[in-house]
Amino acid sequence: MKLIFIGPPGSGKGTQAKRLASRFDIPHISTGDMLREAVAENTPLGQQAAPIMAAGGLVPDDLMVGIINERLARPDAQKGFILDGFPRTLVQAEKLDAAVGNGNDPLRVLQLLVPDEAIVRRITLRRTCAQCGAIYHLENNPPAQDGVCDRCGAEVIARADDTEAAVRKRLESFHRQTLPVATHYKAKGILKEVDGVGPVDEVFERIEQSLA
Ligand code: AP5
C-alpha cells in the first residue's frame, strides 16, 4: 500500500498514520517528524527549517522533494508506505507522482476532514514525546503521569509550532497550498475523504472501511 494522508494541521494524520502503519507493517513517513529530528540534531537542514516551522510556513519544495526521494529509496519503503505531511504543494505532488505513481501498486490518498474551529483546540492541548514522537492530548488522551511518555518514559512537551499564531498560519498554508493537492488527486479518482471528527477509534474504523 502506498498511502498519502492529507489533512489540516491537527486533523489526526500522525495519530492515525502510526496506527495504520503498525496494522499494515509499513513505514510511517512523517516529513514533520523528519524535520523536527533535523532541528533537534542542529543539522544544516534543521537550521534552515527551524524558523520557517516555528512561524508556521512551508519549507522550500526542492529541499522537501530531496528528503522524501532519499527516504522512499530505502529498503523498508519498497513494500509500501504511509506519507504524513507530504505532498503539501502541487509541485511536491507532481514530483511524487513522477517518482512512485506509476508502479503496479498505485498511490491511494486519504483526506481527513476536520473543521478549522476544532483544530486550534486540538493543537494547543497537544503534547508530544520529545524522544519517540508519541502523541497525546491533555483532555482526550493525556499521559498516565503528567509530562512523562507512557511508551518510553521521556519528557512530553508542547511543539514549538503549536502556538495559536503559528497554527493559524499553518491553517492558511493548508487552505492555500495543500487543498489544491487534494483537488489534484480527486481529479485522478484516487482520493477518499474521511470525517476526522469523533473519538480516535471511530475515526480509525472509518479509515479502515474506506481503504477496504
Ligand atoms: P507536520 O508535523 O506535518 O504538522 P501538521 O501537518 O501541521 O500536522 P500536525 O502534526 O500538527 O497534526 P496531525 O494532523 O498529525 O495531528 P495529530 O495526530 O498530532 O509539519 C510541521 C511543519 O513542518 C509544517 O508546518 C512545515 O513547516 C514543515 N513541513 C512538514 N512537511 C512539509 C512539506 N511537505 N513541505 C513543506 N514544509 C513541510 O493530532 C493533533 C492533536 O489532536 C493531538 O493532540 C491528538 O491527540 C489529538 N487528536 C487526534 N485525533 C483526535 C480525535 N479524533 N479527536 C480529538 N483529538 C484528536
Side-chain angles (χ1 to χ4, degrees), residues 91-108:
V91 170
Q92 293 179 14
E94 281 156 10
K95 298 280 184 194
L96 180 72
D97 295 352
V100 297
N102 298 319
N104 297 332
D105 204 1
L107 281 170
R108 304 173 77 176

Side-chain angles (χ1 to χ4, degrees), residues 8-15 31-32 35-36 52-53 57-59 64 84-86 88 92 122-123 126 135-137 140 159 161 170 196 198-200 203:
S11 54
K13 301 183 297 296
T15 301
T31 42
L35 290 169
R36 279 184 288 279
I52 301 174
M53 294 170 76
L58 290 185
V59 174
M64 296 312 302
D84 162 7
F86 188 98
R88 251 180 163 92
Q92 293 179 14
R122 279 196 188 183
I123 288 201
R126 169 172 52 194
I135 300 167
Y136 299 93
H137 188 274
N140 309 328
R159 266 170 44 179
D161 60 345
R170 284 155 64 196
V200 170
V203 175

Side-chain angles (χ1 to χ4, degrees), residues 23-62:
R23 168 69 55 96
F24 290 105
D25 192 26
I26 50 178
H28 164 215
I29 300 176
S30 157
T31 42
D33 286 351
M34 291 162 84
L35 290 169
R36 279 184 288 279
E37 222 174 280
V39 172
E41 288 167 6
N42 203 25
T43 64
L45 167 68
Q47 287 170 11
Q48 191 173 344
I52 301 174
M53 294 170 76
L58 290 185
V59 174
D61 286 333
D62 53 342

Side-chain angles (χ1 to χ4, degrees), residues 90-157:
L90 275 177
V91 170
Q92 293 179 14
E94 281 156 10
K95 298 280 184 194
L96 180 72
D97 295 352
V100 297
N102 298 319
N104 297 332
D105 204 1
L107 281 170
R108 304 173 77 176
V109 186
L110 205 142
Q111 184 181 6
L112 276 178
L113 304 174
V114 178
D116 286 4
E117 311 84 76
I119 295 294
V120 176
R121 185 157 187 79
R122 279 196 188 183
I123 288 201
T124 48
L125 294 179
R126 169 172 52 194
R127 296 294 180 271
T128 310
C129 175
Q131 177 90 24
C132 74
I135 300 167
Y136 299 93
H137 188 274
L138 292 183
E139 275 179 1
N140 309 328
N141 175 31
Q145 192 185 335
D146 206 16
V148 179
C149 179
D150 295 348
R151 213 193 306 159
C152 73
E155 192 187 5
V156 167
I157 54 167

